Amino acid sequence: MKRQVKTLALGLFEITQRKFPEIRFMNIQEHPEQADRYWINVVGDMDEERKIAMNKFVANKAMKILVEEGYSFAIMLDNRLELA
């Protein structure tokens, strides 16, 4: 993985975690089928409303990165509330 990709992914995670402190970083994964697309895997406890809010927040930030840098990111939540 390119250093620039890792830097962008970790930056996106950090600003997202500031707004949604219940998430914890797991790893960065390349999309299995799409070039220059990456998943930032996180774990956390969120209800559906909070998860939707996080997805909207990330989508806005990730779109800016896509336009400026050419890399696509998504934060993928492993929601512990759903496992209970």
Side-chain angles (χ1 to χ4, degrees):
M1 179 177 307
K2 296 177 186 175
R3 180 175 292 164
Q4 180 184 15
V5 169
K6 191 171 186 177
T7 300
L8 290 168
L10 291 175
L12 178 57
F13 168 74
E14 288 171 6
I15 61 171
T16 303
Q17 188 184 41
R18 275 186 245 141
K19 187 159 179 77
F20 302 91
E22 61 269 36
I23 64 170
R24 298 288 175 257
F25 179 80
M26 291 175 54
N27 60 34
I28 304 164
Q29 176 183 355
E30 292 182 42
H31 191 285
E33 298 174 357
Q34 296 176 352
D36 296 330
R37 181 159 172 80
Y38 300 87
W39 293 334
I40 304 165
N41 296 305
V42 301
V43 63
D45 293 327
M46 287 187 175
D47 63 20
E48 192 66 26
E49 190 173 302
R50 188 93 169 130
K51 184 178 174 182
I52 290 168
M54 183 184 73
N55 287 338
K56 286 181 182 179
F57 177 83
V58 170
N60 288 331
K61 302 295 183 193
M63 182 59 69
K64 185 174 182 178
I65 293 170
L66 178 60
V67 169
E68 292 176 0
E69 305 290 341
Y71 298 106
S72 175
F73 293 98
I75 291 188
M76 309 300 283
L77 175 67
D78 179 357
N79 195 349
R80 297 297 172 192
L81 284 179
E82 293 175 356
L83 299 176

Coordinates of all heavy atoms in Angstrom, one line a residue:
M1 N 0.9 -1.2 0.0 CA 0.0 0.0 0.0 C 0.9 1.2 0.0 O 1.9 1.3 0.8 CB -0.9 0.0 1.2 CG -1.8 1.2 1.4 SD -2.9 1.1 2.8 CE -3.7 -0.5 2.6
K2 N 0.5 2.2 -0.8 CA 1.3 3.4 -0.9 C 1.2 4.2 0.4 O 0.2 4.2 1.0 CB 0.8 4.3 -2.1 CG 0.9 3.7 -3.4 CD 0.2 4.6 -4.5 CE 0.2 3.9 -5.8 NZ -0.5 4.7 -6.8
R3 N 2.3 4.9 0.7 CA 2.4 5.7 1.9 C 1.3 6.8 1.8 O 0.7 7.1 2.9 CB 3.8 6.3 2.0 CG 3.9 7.2 3.2 CD 5.3 7.7 3.4 NE 6.2 6.6 3.7 CZ 7.5 6.6 3.7 NH1 8.1 7.7 3.3 NH2 8.2 5.5 4.0
Q4 N 1.1 7.4 0.7 CA 0.1 8.4 0.5 C -1.3 7.9 0.9 O -2.1 8.6 1.6 CB 0.1 9.0 -0.9 CG -0.9 10.1 -1.1 CD -1.0 10.6 -2.5 OE1 -0.4 10.0 -3.4 NE2 -1.6 11.8 -2.7
V5 N -1.6 6.7 0.4 CA -2.9 6.1 0.7 C -3.1 5.9 2.2 O -4.1 6.3 2.8 CB -3.1 4.8 0.0 CG1 -4.3 4.0 0.5 CG2 -3.2 5.0 -1.5
K6 N -2.0 5.4 2.9 CA -2.1 5.1 4.3 C -2.3 6.4 5.1 O -3.1 6.5 6.0 CB -0.8 4.4 4.7 CG -0.9 3.9 6.1 CD 0.3 3.0 6.5 CE 0.1 2.4 7.8 NZ 1.2 1.5 8.1
T7 N -1.5 7.5 4.7 CA -1.6 8.8 5.3 C -3.0 9.4 5.2 O -3.6 9.9 6.1 CB -0.6 9.7 4.7 OG1 0.7 9.2 4.9 CG2 -0.7 11.1 5.3
L8 N -3.6 9.3 3.9 CA -5.0 9.8 3.7 C -6.0 9.0 4.5 O -6.9 9.6 5.1 CB -5.3 9.7 2.2 CG -4.5 10.7 1.3 CD1 -4.7 10.4 -0.1 CD2 -5.0 12.2 1.6
A9 N -5.8 7.7 4.5 CA -6.8 6.8 5.3 C -6.8 7.1 6.8 O -7.8 7.3 7.4 CB -6.5 5.4 5.0
L10 N -5.6 7.2 7.3 CA -5.4 7.5 8.7 C -5.9 8.9 9.1 O -6.6 9.1 10.1 CB -4.0 7.3 9.2 CG -3.5 5.8 9.2 CD1 -2.0 5.7 9.5 CD2 -4.4 4.9 10.1
G11 N -5.7 9.8 8.2 CA -6.2 11.2 8.4 C -7.8 11.2 8.4 O -8.4 11.8 9.3
L12 N -8.4 10.5 7.5 CA -9.8 10.4 7.4 C -10.4 9.7 8.7 O -11.3 10.1 9.3 CB -10.3 9.6 6.2 CG -11.8 9.4 6.0 CD1 -12.6 10.7 6.1 CD2 -12.1 8.6 4.7
F13 N -9.7 8.6 9.1 CA -10.1 7.9 10.3 C -10.0 8.9 11.5 O -11.0 9.0 12.3 CB -9.2 6.7 10.6 CG -9.5 6.2 12.0 CD1 -10.6 5.5 12.3 CD2 -8.5 6.4 13.0 CE1 -10.8 5.1 13.6 CE2 -8.7 6.0 14.3 CZ -9.9 5.3 14.6
E14 N -8.9 9.6 11.7 CA -8.7 10.5 12.8 C -9.8 11.6 12.9 O -10.3 11.8 14.0 CB -7.3 11.1 12.8 CG -6.3 10.1 13.1 CD -4.9 10.6 12.9 OE1 -4.7 11.8 12.6 OE2 -3.9 9.8 13.0
I15 N -10.1 12.2 11.8 CA -11.2 13.3 11.9 C -12.5 12.6 12.1 O -13.4 13.3 12.8 CB -11.2 14.2 10.6 CG1 -11.5 13.4 9.3 CG2 -9.9 15.0 10.5 CD1 -11.8 14.3 8.1
T16 N -12.7 11.4 11.6 CA -14.0 10.7 11.9 C -14.1 10.3 13.4 O -15.1 10.5 14.0 CB -14.2 9.5 11.0 OG1 -14.1 9.9 9.6 CG2 -15.5 8.8 11.2
Q17 N -13.0 9.9 13.9 CA -13.0 9.4 15.3 C -13.2 10.6 16.3 O -13.8 10.5 17.3 CB -11.7 8.7 15.7 CG -11.8 8.1 17.1 CD -10.5 7.5 17.5 OE1 -9.4 8.0 17.2 NE2 -10.6 6.3 18.1
R18 N -12.7 11.8 15.9 CA -13.0 13.0 16.7 C -14.4 13.3 16.8 O -14.9 13.7 17.9 CB -12.2 14.2 16.2 CG -10.8 14.3 16.6 CD -10.1 15.5 16.2 NE -9.1 15.1 15.2 CZ -8.7 15.8 14.1 NH1 -9.3 16.9 13.8 NH2 -7.8 15.3 13.4
K19 N -15.2 13.1 15.7 CA -16.6 13.3 15.8 C -17.4 12.1 16.3 O -18.5 12.3 16.9 CB -17.1 13.7 14.3 CG -18.5 14.1 14.3 CD -18.8 14.9 13.0 CE -20.3 15.3 12.9 NZ -20.6 16.5 13.8
F20 N -16.9 10.9 16.1 CA -17.5 9.7 16.6 C -16.5 8.9 17.4 O -15.9 7.9 16.9 CB -18.0 8.9 15.3 CG -18.9 9.6 14.5 CD1 -18.5 10.4 13.4 CD2 -20.3 9.6 14.7 CE1 -19.4 11.1 12.6 CE2 -21.2 10.3 14.0 CZ -20.7 11.1 12.9
P21 N -16.3 9.3 18.6 CA -15.2 8.7 19.5 C -15.4 7.2 19.8 O -14.5 6.6 20.3 CB -15.2 9.6 20.7 CG -16.5 10.3 20.8 CD -17.0 10.4 19.3
E22 N -16.6 6.7 19.6 CA -16.8 5.3 19.9 C -16.2 4.3 18.9 O -16.2 3.1 19.2 CB -18.3 5.1 20.1 CG -19.2 5.3 18.8 CD -19.7 6.7 18.7 OE1 -19.1 7.7 19.1 OE2 -20.8 6.9 18.2
I23 N -15.7 4.8 17.8 CA -15.0 3.9 16.9 C -13.6 3.7 17.2 O -12.9 4.6 17.7 CB -15.2 4.3 15.4 CG1 -14.5 5.7 15.1 CG2 -16.7 4.4 15.0 CD1 -14.5 6.0 13.6
R24 N -13.1 2.5 16.9 CA -11.7 2.2 17.1 C -11.1 1.6 15.7 O -11.8 0.8 15.1 CB -11.5 1.1 18.2 CG -11.9 1.6 19.5 CD -11.0 2.7 20.1 NE -11.5 3.2 21.4 CZ -12.1 4.4 21.5 NH1 -12.3 5.2 20.5 NH2 -12.5 4.8 22.7
F25 N -9.9 2.0 15.4 CA -9.3 1.5 14.2 C -9.0 0.0 14.2 O -8.5 -0.5 15.2 CB -8.0 2.3 14.0 CG -7.2 2.0 12.7 CD1 -7.6 2.5 11.5 CD2 -6.1 1.1 12.8 CE1 -6.9 2.1 10.3 CE2 -5.4 0.8 11.6 CZ -5.8 1.3 10.4
M26 N -9.2 -0.7 13.1 CA -8.8 -2.1 13.0 C -7.7 -2.2 11.9 O -6.6 -2.6 12.2 CB -10.0 -2.9 12.6 CG -11.0 -3.1 13.7 SD -12.5 -4.0 13.3 CE -11.9 -5.5 12.6
N27 N -8.0 -1.8 10.7 CA -7.0 -1.9 9.6 C -7.5 -1.2 8.3 O -8.7 -0.7 8.3 CB -6.7 -3.3 9.2 CG -7.9 -4.1 8.8 OD1 -8.8 -3.6 8.1 ND2 -7.9 -5.4 9.1
I28 N -6.7 -1.1 7.3 CA -7.0 -0.5 6.0 C -6.9 -1.7 5.0 O -5.9 -2.4 5.0 CB -6.0 0.6 5.6 CG1 -6.0 1.7 6.7 CG2 -6.4 1.1 4.2 CD1 -4.8 2.6 6.5
Q29 N -7.9 -1.8 4.2 CA -8.0 -3.0 3.3 C -8.2 -2.4 1.9 O -9.1 -1.6 1.7 CB -9.2 -3.8 3.7 CG -9.5 -5.0 2.9 CD -10.7 -5.8 3.4 OE1 -11.3 -5.5 4.4 NE2 -11.1 -6.7 2.6
E30 N -7.5 -3.0 0.9 CA -7.8 -2.6 -0.5 C -9.0 -3.3 -0.9 O -9.3 -4.4 -0.5 CB -6.6 -3.1 -1.4 CG -5.3 -2.4 -1.1 CD -4.2 -2.8 -2.1 OE1 -4.5 -3.0 -3.3 OE2 -3.1 -3.0 -1.6
H31 N -9.8 -2.5 -1.7 CA -11.1 -3.1 -2.2 C -10.7 -4.3 -3.1 O -9.7 -4.2 -3.9 CB -11.8 -2.1 -3.0 CG -13.2 -2.5 -3.4 ND1 -13.4 -3.4 -4.4 CD2 -14.4 -2.1 -2.9 CE1 -14.7 -3.6 -4.5 NE2 -15.3 -2.8 -3.6
P32 N -11.4 -5.4 -3.0 CA -10.9 -6.6 -3.7 C -11.1 -6.5 -5.2 O -10.5 -7.3 -6.0 CB -11.8 -7.7 -3.1 CG -13.0 -7.0 -2.5 CD -12.5 -5.7 -2.1
E33 N -12.0 -5.6 -5.7 CA -12.3 -5.5 -7.1 C -12.0 -4.2 -7.8 O -12.0 -4.1 -9.0 CB -13.7 -5.9 -7.4 CG -14.0 -7.4 -7.0 CD -15.5 -7.7 -7.1 OE1 -16.3 -6.8 -7.4 OE2 -15.8 -8.9 -6.8
Q34 N -11.9 -3.1 -7.0 CA -11.7 -1.8 -7.6 C -10.4 -1.2 -7.2 O -10.0 -1.1 -6.0 CB -12.9 -0.9 -7.1 CG -14.2 -1.4 -7.5 CD -15.4 -0.5 -7.0 OE1 -15.1 0.4 -6.1 NE2 -16.6 -0.7 -7.4
A35 N -9.7 -0.7 -8.2 CA -8.4 -0.1 -8.0 C -8.6 1.3 -7.3 O -9.6 2.0 -7.6 CB -7.7 0.1 -9.3
D36 N -7.7 1.7 -6.5 CA -7.6 3.0 -5.8 C -8.9 3.2 -4.9 O -9.3 4.3 -4.7 CB -7.5 4.1 -6.8 CG -6.2 4.1 -7.6 OD1 -5.2 3.6 -7.0 OD2 -6.1 4.5 -8.7
R37 N -9.4 2.1 -4.5 CA -10.5 2.1 -3.5 C -10.1 1.3 -2.3 O -9.6 0.2 -2.4 CB -11.8 1.6 -4.1 CG -13.0 1.6 -3.1 CD -14.3 1.6 -3.8 NE -15.4 1.5 -2.9 CZ -16.0 2.5 -2.3 NH1 -15.5 3.7 -2.4 NH2 -17.0 2.3 -1.5
Y38 N -10.4 1.9 -1.1 CA -9.9 1.4 0.2 C -11.0 1.4 1.2 O -11.8 2.3 1.3 CB -8.7 2.1 0.7 CG -7.5 2.0 -0.3 CD1 -7.4 3.0 -1.3 CD2 -6.6 1.0 -0.3 CE1 -6.4 2.9 -2.3 CE2 -5.6 0.9 -1.2 CZ -5.5 1.9 -2.2 OH -4.5 1.8 -3.1
W39 N -11.0 0.4 2.1 CA -11.9 0.3 3.2 C -11.1 0.6 4.5 O -10.0 -0.1 4.7 CB -12.6 -1.0 3.3 CG -13.5 -1.3 2.2 CD1 -14.2 -0.4 1.4 CD2 -13.9 -2.6 1.7 NE1 -15.0 -1.1 0.5 CE2 -14.8 -2.4 0.7 CE3 -13.6 -3.9 2.0 CZ2 -15.4 -3.5 0.0 CZ3 -14.1 -4.9 1.4 CH2 -15.1 -4.7 0.3
I40 N -11.6 1.4 5.3 CA -11.0 1.6 6.6 C -11.9 0.9 7.6 O -13.0 1.3 7.8 CB -10.9 3.1 7.0 CG1 -10.2 3.9 5.9 CG2 -10.3 3.3 8.4 CD1 -10.3 5.4 5.9
N41 N -11.4 -0.2 8.1 CA -12.2 -1.1 9.0 C -12.1 -0.6 10.4 O -11.0 -0.4 10.9 CB -11.8 -2.5 8.8 CG -12.1 -3.1 7.5 OD1 -13.2 -3.0 7.0 ND2 -11.0 -3.6 6.8
V42 N -13.3 -0.4 11.0 CA -13.3 0.1 12.4 C -14.3 -0.8 13.2 O -15.2 -1.5 12.6 CB -13.8 1.6 12.5 CG1 -12.8 2.5 11.7 CG2 -15.2 1.8 12.0
V43 N -14.2 -0.7 14.5 CA -15.1 -1.4 15.4 C -15.7 -0.4 16.3 O -15.0 0.6 16.7 CB -14.4 -2.6 16.1 CG1 -13.3 -2.0 17.0 CG2 -15.4 -3.4 16.9
G44 N -17.0 -0.6 16.7 CA -17.6 0.4 17.6 C -19.0 0.0 18.0 O -19.6 -0.9 17.3
D45 N -19.6 0.7 18.9 CA -21.0 0.5 19.3 C -21.8 1.7 18.9 O -21.6 2.8 19.4 CB -21.1 0.3 20.9 CG -20.4 -0.9 21.4 OD1 -20.5 -1.9 20.6 OD2 -19.9 -0.9 22.5
M46 N -22.6 1.5 17.9 CA -23.5 2.6 17.4 C -24.9 2.1 17.1 O -25.0 1.0 16.5 CB -22.9 3.1 16.0 CG -21.7 3.9 16.1 SD -21.3 4.6 14.5 CE -19.9 5.6 14.9
D47 N -25.8 2.9 17.4 CA -27.2 2.6 16.9 C -27.3 3.0 15.4 O -26.4 3.7 14.9 CB -28.2 3.3 17.8 CG -28.2 4.8 17.8 OD1 -27.7 5.4 16.8 OD2 -28.7 5.4 18.7
E48 N -28.4 2.7 14.8 CA -28.6 2.9 13.4 C -28.5 4.4 13.0 O -27.9 4.8 12.0 CB -29.9 2.3 12.9 CG -30.0 2.3 11.4 CD -29.1 1.3 10.7 OE1 -28.6 0.4 11.4 OE2 -28.7 1.6 9.6
E49 N -29.1 5.3 13.9 CA -29.1 6.7 13.6 C -27.7 7.3 13.6 O -27.3 8.1 12.8 CB -29.9 7.4 14.6 CG -30.2 8.8 14.3 CD -31.2 9.4 15.3 OE1 -32.4 8.9 15.4 OE2 -30.9 10.4 15.9
R50 N -26.9 6.8 14.6 CA -25.5 7.3 14.7 C -24.7 6.8 13.5 O -23.8 7.5 13.0 CB -24.9 6.8 16.0 CG -23.6 7.4 16.4 CD -23.7 8.6 17.2 NE -22.4 9.0 17.7 CZ -21.9 10.2 17.6 NH1 -22.6 11.2 17.1 NH2 -20.7 10.4 18.1
K51 N -24.9 5.6 13.1 CA -24.2 5.0 12.0 C -24.5 5.7 10.7 O -23.6 6.0 9.9 CB -24.6 3.5 11.8 CG -23.8 2.8 10.8 CD -24.2 1.3 10.7 CE -23.6 0.6 9.6 NZ -24.0 -0.8 9.5
I52 N -25.7 6.1 10.5 CA -26.1 6.9 9.3 C -25.4 8.3 9.3 O -24.9 8.7 8.3 CB -27.6 7.0 9.2 CG1 -28.3 5.7 8.9 CG2 -28.0 8.1 8.2 CD1 -29.8 5.6 9.0
A53 N -25.4 8.9 10.5 CA -24.7 10.2 10.6 C -23.2 10.0 10.3 O -22.6 10.9 9.6 CB -24.9 10.7 12.0
M54 N -22.6 9.0 10.8 CA -21.2 8.8 10.5 C -20.9 8.5 9.0 O -20.0 9.1 8.4 CB -20.6 7.6 11.3 CG -19.1 7.4 11.0 SD -18.4 6.0 11.8 CE -19.0 4.7 10.8
N55 N -21.8 7.8 8.4 CA -21.6 7.5 6.9 C -21.8 8.8 6.1 O -21.0 9.0 5.2 CB -22.6 6.4 6.5 CG -22.3 5.1 7.0 OD1 -21.1 4.8 7.3 ND2 -23.3 4.2 7.0
K56 N -22.7 9.6 6.5 CA -22.8 10.9 5.8 C -21.6 11.8 6.0 O -21.1 12.4 5.0 CB -24.1 11.7 6.3 CG -25.4 11.1 5.8 CD -26.6 11.9 6.3 CE -27.9 11.3 5.8 NZ -29.0 12.0 6.3
F57 N -21.1 11.9 7.2 CA -19.9 12.6 7.5 C -18.7 12.1 6.7 O -18.0 12.9 6.0 CB -19.6 12.5 9.0 CG -18.3 13.2 9.4 CD1 -18.3 14.6 9.7 CD2 -17.2 12.5 9.6 CE1 -17.2 15.2 10.1 CE2 -16.0 13.1 10.0 CZ -16.0 14.5 10.2
V58 N -18.5 10.8 6.7 CA -17.4 10.2 5.9 C -17.6 10.4 4.4 O -16.6 10.7 3.7 CB -17.3 8.7 6.3 CG1 -16.3 8.0 5.3 CG2 -16.8 8.5 7.7
A59 N -18.8 10.3 3.9 CA -19.0 10.5 2.5 C -18.6 11.9 2.0 O -17.9 12.0 1.0 CB -20.5 10.2 2.1
N60 N -18.9 12.9 2.8 CA -18.5 14.2 2.4 C -17.0 14.4 2.4 O -16.4 15.0 1.5 CB -19.1 15.3 3.4 CG -20.6 15.4 3.2 OD1 -21.1 15.2 2.1 ND2 -21.3 15.7 4.2
K61 N -16.3 13.9 3.4 CA -14.9 14.0 3.5 C -14.2 13.1 2.4 O -13.2 13.6 1.8 CB -14.4 13.5 4.9 CG -15.0 14.3 6.1 CD -14.5 15.7 6.1 CE -15.1 16.5 7.3 NZ -15.0 17.9 7.2
A62 N -14.7 11.9 2.2 CA -14.1 11.0 1.3 C -14.3 11.6 -0.2 O -13.4 11.3 -1.0 CB -14.7 9.6 1.4
M63 N -15.4 12.2 -0.5 CA -15.6 12.8 -1.8 C -14.5 13.9 -2.1 O -14.0 13.9 -3.2 CB -17.0 13.4 -1.9 CG -17.3 14.0 -3.3 SD -17.1 12.8 -4.7 CE -18.5 11.7 -4.3
K64 N -14.2 14.7 -1.1 CA -13.2 15.7 -1.2 C -11.8 15.0 -1.5 O -11.1 15.5 -2.4 CB -13.1 16.5 0.0 CG -12.1 17.7 -0.1 CD -12.2 18.6 1.1 CE -11.2 19.8 0.9 NZ -11.3 20.7 2.0
I65 N -11.5 13.9 -0.8 CA -10.2 13.2 -1.1 C -10.2 12.6 -2.5 O -9.2 12.7 -3.2 CB -10.0 12.1 0.0 CG1 -9.8 12.7 1.4 CG2 -8.9 11.2 -0.4 CD1 -9.8 11.7 2.5
L66 N -11.3 12.1 -2.9 CA -11.4 11.5 -4.2 C -11.2 12.5 -5.3 O -10.4 12.3 -6.3 CB -12.8 10.8 -4.5 CG -13.1 10.2 -5.8 CD1 -12.1 9.1 -6.1 CD2 -14.5 9.7 -5.9
V67 N -11.8 13.7 -5.2 CA -11.6 14.7 -6.2 C -10.2 15.2 -6.2 O -9.6 15.4 -7.2 CB -12.6 15.9 -5.9 CG1 -12.3 17.1 -6.8 CG2 -14.1 15.4 -6.2
E68 N -9.6 15.5 -5.0 CA -8.3 16.1 -4.9 C -7.2 15.1 -5.1 O -6.1 15.4 -5.7 CB -8.1 16.8 -3.5 CG -9.0 18.0 -3.4 CD -9.0 18.6 -2.0 OE1 -8.2 18.1 -1.1 OE2 -9.7 19.6 -1.8
E69 N -7.3 13.8 -4.7 CA -6.2 12.9 -4.7 C -6.4 11.7 -5.6 O -5.5 11.0 -5.9 CB -6.0 12.4 -3.2 CG -5.7 13.5 -2.2 CD -4.4 14.2 -2.4 OE1 -3.5 13.7 -3.1 OE2 -4.2 15.3 -1.9
G70 N -7.7 11.4 -5.9 CA -7.9 10.2 -6.8 C -8.1 8.9 -6.1 O -8.1 7.9 -6.8
Y71 N -8.2 8.9 -4.8 CA -8.4 7.7 -4.0 C -9.8 7.7 -3.4 O -10.2 8.7 -2.9 CB -7.3 7.5 -3.0 CG -5.9 7.4 -3.5 CD1 -5.1 8.5 -3.4 CD2 -5.5 6.3 -4.2 CE1 -3.8 8.4 -3.9 CE2 -4.2 6.2 -4.7 CZ -3.4 7.2 -4.5 OH -2.1 7.1 -5.1
S72 N -10.4 6.6 -3.4 CA -11.7 6.4 -2.8 C -11.7 5.7 -1.5 O -11.0 4.6 -1.4 CB -12.7 5.7 -3.8 OG -13.9 5.4 -3.2
F73 N -12.3 6.2 -0.4 CA -12.3 5.6 0.9 C -13.7 5.4 1.4 O -14.6 6.2 1.2 CB -11.5 6.4 1.9 CG -10.0 6.5 1.6 CD1 -9.5 7.6 0.9 CD2 -9.2 5.5 2.0 CE1 -8.2 7.7 0.6 CE2 -7.8 5.6 1.7 CZ -7.3 6.7 1.0
A74 N -13.9 4.4 2.2 CA -15.1 4.2 3.0 C -14.7 3.6 4.3 O -13.8 2.9 4.5 CB -16.0 3.2 2.2
I75 N -15.5 4.0 5.3 CA -15.3 3.5 6.7 C -16.3 2.4 6.8 O -17.5 2.6 6.7 CB -15.3 4.5 7.8 CG1 -14.1 5.4 7.6 CG2 -15.4 3.9 9.1 CD1 -13.9 6.4 8.7
M76 N -15.8 1.2 7.1 CA -16.6 0.0 7.3 C -16.7 -0.3 8.8 O -15.7 -0.7 9.4 CB -16.0 -1.2 6.5 CG -15.7 -0.9 5.1 SD -17.1 -0.3 4.1 CE -17.9 -1.9 3.8
L77 N -17.9 -0.3 9.3 CA -18.1 -0.5 10.8 C -18.5 -1.9 11.1 O -19.4 -2.5 10.5 CB -19.2 0.5 11.3 CG -19.7 0.3 12.7 CD1 -18.5 0.7 13.7 CD2 -20.9 1.1 13.0
D78 N -17.7 -2.5 12.0 CA -18.1 -3.8 12.6 C -18.8 -3.4 13.9 O -18.1 -3.0 14.9 CB -16.8 -4.6 12.9 CG -17.1 -5.9 13.6 OD1 -18.3 -6.2 13.9 OD2 -16.2 -6.7 13.8
N79 N -20.1 -3.4 13.8 CA -20.9 -2.8 14.9 C -21.2 -3.8 16.0 O -21.9 -4.8 15.8 CB -22.2 -2.3 14.3 CG -23.0 -1.4 15.3 OD1 -22.7 -1.3 16.5 ND2 -24.0 -0.8 14.8
R80 N -20.6 -3.6 17.2 CA -20.7 -4.5 18.3 C -22.2 -4.6 18.8 O -22.6 -5.6 19.4 CB -19.8 -4.2 19.4 CG -18.3 -4.3 19.0 CD -18.0 -5.7 18.7 NE -16.6 -5.8 18.1 CZ -16.2 -6.8 17.5 NH1 -16.9 -7.9 17.3 NH2 -14.9 -6.8 17.0
L81 N -23.0 -3.5 18.6 CA -24.3 -3.6 19.0 C -25.1 -4.6 18.3 O -26.1 -5.2 18.8 CB -25.0 -2.2 18.9 CG -24.6 -1.1 19.9 CD1 -25.4 0.2 19.6 CD2 -25.0 -1.6 21.3
E82 N -24.8 -4.8 17.0 CA -25.5 -5.8 16.2 C -25.2 -7.2 16.6 O -25.9 -8.1 16.3 CB -25.2 -5.6 14.7 CG -25.7 -4.3 14.2 CD -25.3 -4.0 12.7 OE1 -24.5 -4.8 12.2 OE2 -25.7 -3.0 12.2
L83 N -24.1 -7.4 17.3 CA -23.6 -8.8 17.7 C -24.3 -9.2 19.0 O -24.3 -10.3 19.4 CB -22.1 -8.8 17.8 CG -21.3 -8.5 16.5 CD1 -19.8 -8.5 16.8 CD2 -21.7 -9.5 15.5
A84 N -24.8 -8.2 19.8 CA -25.4 -8.5 21.1 C -26.7 -9.2 21.0 O -27.4 -9.2 20.0 CB -25.5 -7.2 21.9

